[in-house]
Amino acid sequence: MARNTSGEANPALSTKIGHGLAKVLRIKLNRNEAPENASGGDSVISITTASTFVEEEPTSEEWIRDLLPDSAEIKQYFVSLFPFLKWITRYNSTWFLGDTVAGLTVGAVVVPQSMAYAGLAGLPPEFGLYSSFMGVLLYWFFATSKDITIGPVAVMSTLVGNIISKVNAKRKPIIPPPVIASALAVICGSIVLFIGLVRCGWIVDFIPLTAISAFMTGSAINIAVGQVPTLMGITGFNTRDSTYKVVINTLKHLGRTKLDAAMGLTALAMLYLIRSFCKFMSKRQPNRRKMWFFISTLRTAFVILLYTMISWLVNRHVKTAAKAKFKILGKVPRGFKHAGAPVMNQEIIKSFASELPAAVIVLLIEHIAISKSFGRINNYTINPSQELVAIGFTNVLGPFLGAYPATGSFSRTAIKSKAGVRTPFAGVITAILVLLAIYALSSVFFYIPSAGLSAVIIHAVGDLITPPDAVYRFWRVSPLEVIIFFAGVIVTVFTSIENGIYVTISLSAAILLFRVAKARGRFLGKVVVHSVIGDHHLSDGGKYGTLGNGEVLEKVDSAAEGRNTFLPIDHQDGSNPEVEVQSPYPGIFIYRFSEGFNYPNANHYLDYLTDYIFKHTRRTTLDTYEKLGDRPWNDPGPRRGKALNLDDSRPCLRAVILDFSSVNNVDITSVQNLIDVRNQLNRYTAPDTVEWHIACINNRWTKRALASAGFGYPNSPTAVHKSWKPIFSVAGIGGRSSAASDAERRNEKMLHRQQSRDAEDPKIDAIAVSMAKPTEQTASRSPKVAVVHGLNRPFFHTDLTTALQSAVLSVERKQEFEKQGGEGIGEEP
């Protein structure tokens, strides 16, 4: 910016153009601008002891600059897409050993599970193997979690099966199920990949734990009940109906139970017996806990191999699965027989478009919830957006080898974590084992009993049911959310998994909006508190006093030794009701917002504020209406024949202090409502005006918004402000090691002598100190300090104590001015 000959800055050409346009459009640029003497005619801050600080408002250019990434951030973005680059160069043999053990352990579990889950999706078993292979092979490139295992899962597989059934129920001829599953994987993967690439993984945080727990519990019950008919060999009805219908039909058709029940029930019992025995032995033999863990982990592979051998012994002369003594898996093709570009067209996508929200939600919440949980357990932090990128790439590329939608598996992730996995590279080891199974074990898969796979599914989903102890803990934390939990479970059981997801998320969102919209502020009072260690009182200087009989403090001056804190006057925060909360000052109110201050709750907050103030104060001028007809309808006054009560002992409204500690942003609606309330209260206190002090503002843009509305300084300066002295918070510059502190310590002895000659050392309270004018001698011995907030916003305060001091001082000086009755009264000579 250029300067003229007088040294003043010349406005830039863009500024001149902007001012010219504003003049043409009749925009008042200087509306509600702080007056030049906003900091008072004589500030409490001495220029000899403090540096001047005028806080500048944030600009739109600054906002855009903060929003747009610079070159370093763009580079970091592309590097963050491949997290393996941070650790792959440090990979070592120790890590490889841990990854190998974990990878092989998970591989032994994922092979039987994936074939079982493919059945849930209504697909041939090989599609489960394809999904497992692609999931574990691709994930490690994009992973920020070492524990997660991506692949087929029970809930997603069931959802895919339901979608395929709905699509083909409306069509003739039907679309092949693998075609629908592959197209669904590509579309869902693309949506999730986009969310991850634009780094919007935070949207998952809008789905609360209760919604996730309800959906998982309801889905687990739905899946387990749907597998009982296959476990028992019962046929003749649709196992994808609502859970309660499946239960009824299963009971009706119990007479159709076949030999499959012998295989299924014993396999399920064996799975639970092995797990219980290993858990018992790990407690009895803590030094062999690792061994018992691996035995327990391999129980699924052991049971499937055992019952496959039994099935081979029974059906070894059978050439086709249809002639077996009980239902078996049948022929599983060797290799990737279904590899190729997935079929994608408008007709297929349109057929399942309405089911996409539920499918995307399941992909998101199951994976992110599991990865966050194990990240906290193992002391690392995941990047939700990057995890979505990993899921997206897996589901977009997987269908080219025949995969269907896959996400993180809870059971396999828990196994992988306990097996001692060191890096995400363990997925490659698992992929090698799955690849061997696809090419080398296809002939063995022929004899796997379907009832045995149903036992595996029921056993796996049993861990997804929220235990009663967890539900009780939910109740202790938030009873209302437990209602959401049970609503989600009930809806899932009596309708479908998709409806359960929508209901829980909708109810959670409704409660969140209700809490925000109906947030209620609290009026605060002042309490003097003391710090106590055992039976000793700790003063601010670190010295100890003694407690008396548990009720009073001995040798402690509460005003000097205690500190002010602010508690709700109604004790609704749970504080001891026996503690007397004092009114801050007659006519001064402290109001704290509880959950932000935005357009949904602005009216509710401010209606309560005005109602409370009207109830506890009186008008400044009581008899202001000469005629009865002049009174407003909502303030009709006394009944006919009765005189107006002019002896109202309630105080007049002087000032309002707002605690913005829980407010991060404001909007146009909330600020406009605040302006309207300010004008309303000014009419209520006319001819006086109400001072508004705001403490604990956390955001520069919030300050700008409030300042533009006329807050932060006296909005109608009168003669009293010519001698008005605001109170500012200051802090030392440089700390104990600063040059000012060193000079202070060198002069300490000399100053102490001079102080000892004083006849008395008057005790001045906080307000008096703030009003005192510093002398030359005081300035010479005071360390350099700086104001915390700008001098141009004297009504914005660091804390409630300073805000109250400033409000009280202003009220008292105004009363002094009015008492003297003349302009200039009270000014310093």
Side-chain angles (χ1 to χ4, degrees), residues 112-113 115-116 125 227 304 329 448-458:
Q113 274 193 356
M115 290 189 293
Q227 288 302 302
I304 289 296
L329 201 58
I448 295 178
S450 297
L453 291 179
S454 294
V456 169
I457 293 173
I458 295 173

Side-chain angles (χ1 to χ4, degrees), residues 113-334:
Q113 274 193 356
S114 61
M115 290 189 293
Y117 293 156
L120 289 177
L123 300 172
E126 62 267 23
F127 286 90
L129 295 173
Y130 302 155
S131 297
S132 297
F133 174 74
M134 292 301 291
V136 294
L137 181 65
L138 294 176
Y139 176 68
W140 76 277
F141 283 101
F142 312 102
T144 60
S145 169
K146 68 180 180 65
D147 300 297
I148 281 287
T149 300
I150 290 184
V153 296
V155 179
M156 191 69 224
S157 298
T158 302
L159 192 59
V160 171
N162 292 343
I163 292 173
I164 292 173
S165 298
K166 289 180 182 179
V167 169
N168 283 331
K170 305 173 185 176
R171 295 182 54 85
K172 290 282 176 84
I174 65 171
I175 302 174
V179 173
I180 300 174
S182 297
L184 181 65
V186 173
I187 298 301
C188 289
S190 300
I191 295 172
V192 173
L193 178 60
F194 174 77
I195 296 173
L197 289 175
V198 297
R199 292 306 194 237
C200 288
W202 46 265
I203 64 173
V204 182
D205 296 334
F206 284 98
I207 303 175
L209 177 59
T210 47
I212 297 173
S213 300
F215 137 73
M216 297 292 282
T217 300
S219 301
I221 296 171
N222 180 289
I223 294 167
V225 170
Q227 288 302 302
V228 171
T230 307
L231 186 81
M232 305 288 289
I234 302 173
T235 57
F237 59 92
N238 184 11
T239 58
R240 295 189 182 276
D241 275 338
S242 299
T243 305
Y244 78 98
K245 290 182 180 179
V246 177
V247 172
I248 293 172
N249 288 328
T250 301
L251 295 174
K252 281 182 178 179
H253 297 85
L254 273 178
R256 297 182 183 178
T257 302
K258 299 176 183 176
L259 187 60
D260 299 67
M263 302 292 287
L265 291 174
T266 55
L268 183 61
M270 184 174 291
L271 287 169
Y272 278 107
L273 284 172
I274 294 174
R275 186 173 73 171
S276 300
F277 177 76
C278 291
K279 187 181 294 186
F280 172 76
M281 292 304 296
S282 65
K283 293 180 180 179
R284 290 287 302 271
Q285 300 177 352
N287 55 331
R288 296 184 179 180
R289 184 173 297 169
K290 200 77 172 178
M291 180 191 74
W292 291 114
F293 161 73
F294 281 110
I295 294 174
S296 177
T297 298
L298 296 174
R299 67 185 180 275
T300 302
F302 170 75
V303 169
I304 289 296
L305 288 174
L306 174 63
Y307 280 82
T308 301
M309 185 181 70
I310 296 173
S311 176
W312 175 78
L313 292 174
V314 174
N315 301 302
R316 63 182 181 275
H317 301 299
V318 173
K319 299 298 182 182
T320 59
K323 295 181 180 180
K325 303 286 185 178
F326 43 80
K327 189 176 180 181
I328 58 176
L329 201 58
K331 185 177 180 180
V332 176
R334 182 172 178 268

Side-chain angles (χ1 to χ4, degrees), residues 789-807:
H789 291 298
L791 297 175
N792 56 328
R793 300 285 183 260
F795 282 2
F796 290 161
H797 304 283
T798 307
D799 53 23
L800 287 176
T801 299
T802 309
L804 180 58
Q805 290 173 346
S806 181

Side-chain angles (χ1 to χ4, degrees), residues 534-646:
D535 59 350
H536 291 80
H537 168 263
L538 180 63
S539 68
D540 291 339
K543 299 179 180 179
Y544 289 93
T546 58
L547 287 174
N549 59 1
E551 299 177 357
V552 296
L553 294 169
E554 296 182 352
K555 300 180 181 179
V556 173
D557 187 317
S558 62
E561 300 290 343
R563 66 181 185 279
N564 289 335
T565 190
F566 298 89
L567 299 176
I569 292 177
D570 56 7
H571 289 284
Q572 288 299 311
D573 62 336
S575 56
N576 189 346
E578 295 183 3
V579 175
E580 183 180 355
V581 181
Q582 302 173 356
S583 174
Y585 189 87
I588 295 179
F589 295 88
I590 302 176
Y591 189 64
R592 173 179 291 164
F593 297 105
S594 58
E595 292 197 33
F597 181 54
N598 298 101
Y599 69 91
N601 54 28
N603 276 319
H604 189 70
Y605 271 134
L606 298 179
D607 287 347
Y608 177 63
L609 171 71
T610 53
D611 289 345
Y612 186 91
I613 289 176
F614 290 157
K615 183 178 180 180
H616 292 84
T617 61
R618 64 174 178 84
R619 290 181 177 272
T620 304
T621 305
L622 291 175
D623 193 9
T624 57
Y625 305 102
E626 295 181 0
K627 300 178 181 178
L628 182 62
D630 294 337
R631 300 190 71 92
W633 67 273
N634 60 335
D635 184 19
R639 293 182 178 274
R640 291 182 181 274
K642 293 188 178 181
L644 181 67
N645 181 18
L646 299 179

Side-chain angles (χ1 to χ4, degrees), residues 76-83 142 144 192-203 383-390:
Q76 179 59 35
Y77 167 77
F78 285 104
V79 172
S80 68
L81 292 176
F82 304 97
F142 312 102
T144 60
V192 173
L193 178 60
F194 174 77
I195 296 173
L197 289 175
V198 297
R199 292 306 194 237
C200 288
W202 46 265
I203 64 173
N383 182 343
S385 296
Q386 184 59 29
E387 289 297 312
L388 298 187
V389 171

Side-chain angles (χ1 to χ4, degrees), residues 44 46 653 748:
V44 68
S46 171
L653 177 61
E748 185 176 352

